[in-house]
Amino acid sequence: MNWKMAFCVGATALVGLTGIAHAQDTLRIGLEASYPPFESKSPEGKLEGFDIDVSNMICERMKVKCVFVENAFDGLIPALNARKFDVINSAMNITAKRKQAIDFTAPVYVVPIQMVAKNGSGLQPTVASLKGKTIGVAQGTSQEDFVKAHWATAGVKVQSYQAQDQIWSDLLSGRVDAAVQESQTAQDSFLSKPAGKDYAFAGAPLTDPVTLGEGTGLAVRKGDKATHDKVQAAIDSLKKDGSLSKLSLKYFKRDIIAK
């Protein structure tokens, strides 16, 4: 082997080792920052929210650095499988449909799914009440799966949006009659704001384990047992010592952590 070839082989090995070291020192986390209080951006453009804090706590337990990668919600699973990041932590409900494409940790927390409508509209989350009406949902969410499976087939119109704030805008303008989303997102991003003063939750929380799932967890590529087990161990540790429950009380004034 001449010196040129030896240099090239050595350089290639060094790059490979650097890449491995980098992978061990960081955890790339995919999310869409448009779901306050779970993940959003401050006026200064800084990522903030419950899921952001959970991610940072997990990374601290794993002794790695969190690197956040923003992506449209409906493209998070394809991007994960394309290796653009290692984990999804973006208020993603664990459903049978999603488990066909990716693996999940055990549920981290459980938040009710509810419908929001204008006060006095009389709308309820039933087919009889919503027939002929238009419901806004975020594209690629379990809520979208629910309304398409249970309502769209019975004469309820479903309008899907790339971002939650677009739904609020169209609800205010009357382009949609109601919206379905996680209750905490609705409360923090709309109902508690001046724009949402004439709106409220309509009816009881929606339930369906098939489409709405069993809670919210972190997702990894299918078969990536190494990453899954490390993340799960960190979550278990944070549950056991009460760190996640304490964080939940800070954000929601109640403990939403799955037991």
Side-chain angles (χ1 to χ4, degrees), residues 115 122-133 150-151 154-156:
M115 188 176 86
L123 294 179
Q124 291 293 305
T126 64
V127 167
S129 177
L130 297 173
K131 191 169 184 178
K133 303 296 184 181
H150 295 282
W151 296 350
V156 180

Side-chain angles (χ1 to χ4, degrees), residues 35 38-39 51 73 89-93 98 109 182 185 216-217:
Y35 296 90
F38 297 98
E39 47 269 330
D51 285 338
F73 190 87
N89 189 16
S90 193
M92 183 172 281
N93 288 343
R98 287 174 176 151
Y109 58 87
E182 290 181 327
T185 295
T216 299

Side-chain angles (χ1 to χ4, degrees), residues 26-187:
T26 64
L27 186 69
R28 298 172 301 156
I29 300 174
L31 61 104
E32 180 181 335
S34 64
Y35 296 90
F38 297 98
E39 47 269 330
S40 60
K41 281 187 172 180
S42 69
E44 296 75 32
K46 182 182 178 182
L47 287 170
E48 61 183 10
F50 180 75
D51 285 338
I52 304 300
D53 287 354
V54 169
S55 294
N56 284 321
M57 292 168 74
I58 289 171
C59 287
E60 185 177 353
R61 290 290 163 99
M62 291 175 62
K63 294 180 169 40
V64 297
K65 178 184 177 183
C66 276
V67 176
F68 294 103
V69 182
E70 296 186 51
N71 199 94
F73 190 87
D74 61 345
L76 282 171
I77 292 176
L80 174 68
N81 287 329
R83 300 181 177 273
K84 293 185 178 179
F85 35 80
D86 310 302
V87 174
I88 296 172
N89 189 16
S90 193
M92 183 172 281
N93 288 343
I94 303 167
T95 66
K97 177 182 175 182
R98 287 174 176 151
K99 286 198 285 189
Q100 293 176 9
I102 53 178
D103 289 336
F104 281 95
T105 64
V108 177
Y109 58 87
V110 180
V111 180
I113 304 297
Q114 289 187 265
M115 188 176 86
V116 168
K118 194 168 187 176
N119 292 328
S121 68
L123 294 179
Q124 291 293 305
T126 64
V127 167
S129 177
L130 297 173
K131 191 169 184 178
K133 303 296 184 181
T134 302
I135 305 301
V137 289
Q139 192 173 339
T141 62
S142 56
Q143 299 90 265
E144 182 186 44
D145 289 340
F146 177 92
V147 297
K148 285 186 173 180
H150 295 282
W151 296 350
T153 56
V156 180
K157 299 174 185 176
V158 177
Q159 180 63 51
S160 300
Y161 295 82
Q162 286 194 328
Q164 187 67 38
D165 57 354
Q166 295 172 329
I167 301 175
W168 301 138
S169 177
D170 276 10
L171 183 62
L172 287 166
S173 68
R175 284 188 283 270
V176 297
D177 300 291
V180 173
Q181 60 290 301
E182 290 181 327
S183 60
Q184 201 69 45
T185 295
Q187 184 63 45

